[in-house]
Every structure is written in structure tokens, then in C-alpha cells.
Amino acid sequence: MREEQQSAGDSIPPDCELIEVRVAELKQLFNAMDASPFRERDLDPDAEDLIVGWAREAPRGSTLALLVDLDRARGLPDEPAALRDAVHEFFAHRAQVTRSRLRQLLSIGRISLVVGLSFLVAAVALGDLVSSAMKGERLGELLREGLVICGWVAMWRPLEILLYGWWPIRTEARLYDRLSAMPVRIAYKETAEPGAWRRDWPAVPPAQTTAQKLPQHASSLRGGDEKPAGALTVPERGAIASAIDATAPERESHARSPKL
């Protein structure tokens, strides 16, 4: 009962393949270099590799579910739904991109098949022509066999695509479909400091999260202590930023001195 009170989100079936990820903050699940809003942001590459790799090792046809062990306490009431929507949208987009790649590959395979067959027919016809022109000579037979071999080598690429290249991509797209529909639940461990959820997504609006990506000395270069609206305070500043902030009052006093 206590474990149920410390978790929130979708209900997880008892017989599913449970993918478990542990993070200190929800925003660690997302790619920090992606400037998109969190609901449209890509997952962190390490988190994606872990989830996809775990799903690949699961039994074929098994139901997948994601459990995120979160160190902090519960935050906004809609954060489990927001996380589920973000994860589903990410893997749905991955499935769409994978199917687009499959269509492109099959298109290349069909074009390669036409080109390969045309070259094979031309190589066999040219080989027969050379063999007839040099009838009875061993060189003519060697040229004929060489042209036939070249024609079949030209068929290697389309045969590879149409026989072996397409089905692993389709399997990958189906895996992304399963991941885009899996239940997502958050288990709160409450080992972080109280109120840590206020600095985490989705409590932090996307505008404030984007402001954190600016260089630490950007506010000083814009003019003293003036900060953009919604920007968060960075707890640690580098040596260069500290030096700029230390000299800011001197620059302001020199700038005001002619007015006295």
C-alpha cells in the first residue's frame, strides 16, 4: 500500500516486461542540447539506448512498461501524464522516421533491381556477341564468362535490399510502436531535498529551461544584474563569469562619474 502511495501514473500489468530507469530529476531523461519544449524534446541518448536495448531483449510479443524511479518527491499532479505523453510522442516519431527510411530503402531496391537486371541482360548479350566473334578461341570464352560474372555482381545490391535489408528495419519500427503505447509510471523515492520538484520539469516552464542554457556570464554582458524574464539562478558560476561580475560595479561607477 505504501509503495502504491509513492507512485503515480499508468497502471502496470503484472505480466509485462518492466523497463526500469532511475534518475534524480525528470529532465535528465531528455536531451539537454535539444532546444524544443520538453513535450517535443528527444530523449537523452543514454536513456534511449537503455529503454530500446531492454525492449529488444524482451520476449517477442510481450507487453512493455516503463517505470521511472525518481529520487525526489512528487511534484505537479500532471507530471506522470506529461512524461507519458513525451515518451509516447518520441517513440511514435521514431517509428514514423523508421518507416520513412524503410520506404526509401525499398525505393532504392526497386531502382537498383531495374538497373541490375538491365546491366545483366546487356552483359550476357555482349558476352555472347564476343564469344561468337571469337569463336573457338579461349580468350572469347574468358571474356564471356567475365561479363556474365560482372552482370551477376551488379545484382548483389538489389538482392541484398529486397531479401535481407528491409525486414530488420520493419522489426525496429514495430518495436517503436510498442514503446509508443507502453504504460509509464513514476515511483517517488523522496531521497532528494524537499521542494526539489520546483526546479524540475514540468514545474519549470520551457522558457526558463531554455534560459539556463545561456552562457553563465550572458546576464553580465547584457548589463549588470539585469536578467531575462523567467531565467533561473545558476548556483555555480565559472571563474570568467565571476571576474566579469566583480568588475561590473566599477564599470557602472566609471560610467556615472561624468554625470556628477
Side-chain angles (χ1 to χ4, degrees):
M1 178 66 65
R2 179 170 177 77
E3 182 65 24
E4 183 69 21
Q5 292 177 353
Q6 291 180 347
S7 62
D10 300 332
S11 59
I12 297 180
D15 56 345
C16 68
E17 181 68 20
L18 186 61
I19 303 173
E20 192 167 358
V21 180
R22 181 166 186 175
V23 291
E25 297 175 318
L26 287 179
K27 61 185 178 183
Q28 292 179 350
L29 290 172
F30 299 91
N31 191 345
M33 299 186 67
D34 191 351
S36 304
F38 270 102
R39 294 178 188 271
E40 303 174 3
R41 185 173 296 187
D42 290 345
L43 291 181
D44 182 81
D46 293 335
E48 179 185 0
D49 291 343
L50 175 62
I51 296 173
V52 175
W54 199 319
R56 285 198 179 107
E57 296 176 0
R60 183 182 298 272
S62 61
T63 303
L64 302 176
L66 177 62
L67 178 64
V68 179
D69 292 328
L70 191 59
D71 289 345
R72 64 169 175 80
R74 183 178 305 185
L76 297 179
D78 63 337
E79 64 183 9
L83 178 62
R84 177 198 60 207
D85 294 342
V87 171
H88 286 183
E89 184 173 352
F90 171 78
F91 285 113
H93 178 69
R94 278 286 187 268
Q96 181 181 1
V97 171
T98 303
R99 285 192 168 84
S100 177
R101 182 159 53 94
L102 177 60
R103 288 192 295 269
Q104 293 177 0
L105 181 66
L106 292 177
S107 177
I108 294 174
R110 290 190 292 267
I111 296 175
S112 301
L113 181 61
V114 173
V115 174
L117 285 174
S118 301
F119 184 79
L120 177 60
V121 171
V124 172
L126 182 60
D128 291 341
L129 181 61
V130 171
S131 179
S132 300
M134 303 177 66
K135 189 174 183 179
E137 297 184 12
R138 185 165 180 80
L139 179 61
E141 291 297 324
L142 290 175
L143 290 176
R144 178 180 178 276
E145 293 297 330
L147 288 171
V148 172
I149 292 174
C150 290
W152 282 111
V153 169
M155 291 293 297
W156 167 77
R157 177 60 174 166
L159 290 177
E160 181 195 18
I161 294 176
L162 298 176
L163 292 179
Y164 310 107
W166 62 273
W167 57 267
I169 301 179
R170 189 186 68 170
T171 302
E172 184 180 1
R174 289 181 174 178
L175 178 62
Y176 287 141
D177 287 336
R178 295 167 60 196
L179 290 171
S180 66
M182 64 180 176
V184 178
R185 193 170 185 85
I186 302 177
Y188 300 95
K189 301 302 180 183
E190 300 185 4
T191 57
E193 60 181 5
W197 63 271
R198 300 181 185 275
R199 301 187 301 271
D200 193 14
W201 175 82
V204 179
Q208 295 184 3
T209 307
T210 305
Q212 283 184 313
K213 299 180 182 179
L214 294 174
Q216 296 177 350
H217 59 281
S219 60
S220 298
L221 295 178
R222 291 179 181 177
D225 297 333
E226 187 178 356
K227 297 182 180 179
L232 293 179
T233 302
V234 180
E236 296 181 3
R237 302 179 60 84
I240 297 178
S242 300
I244 294 177
D245 289 343
T247 57
E250 298 180 3
R251 293 198 304 268
E252 293 179 358
S253 60
H254 288 306
R256 292 194 298 263
S257 58
K259 299 179 181 180
L260 296 176

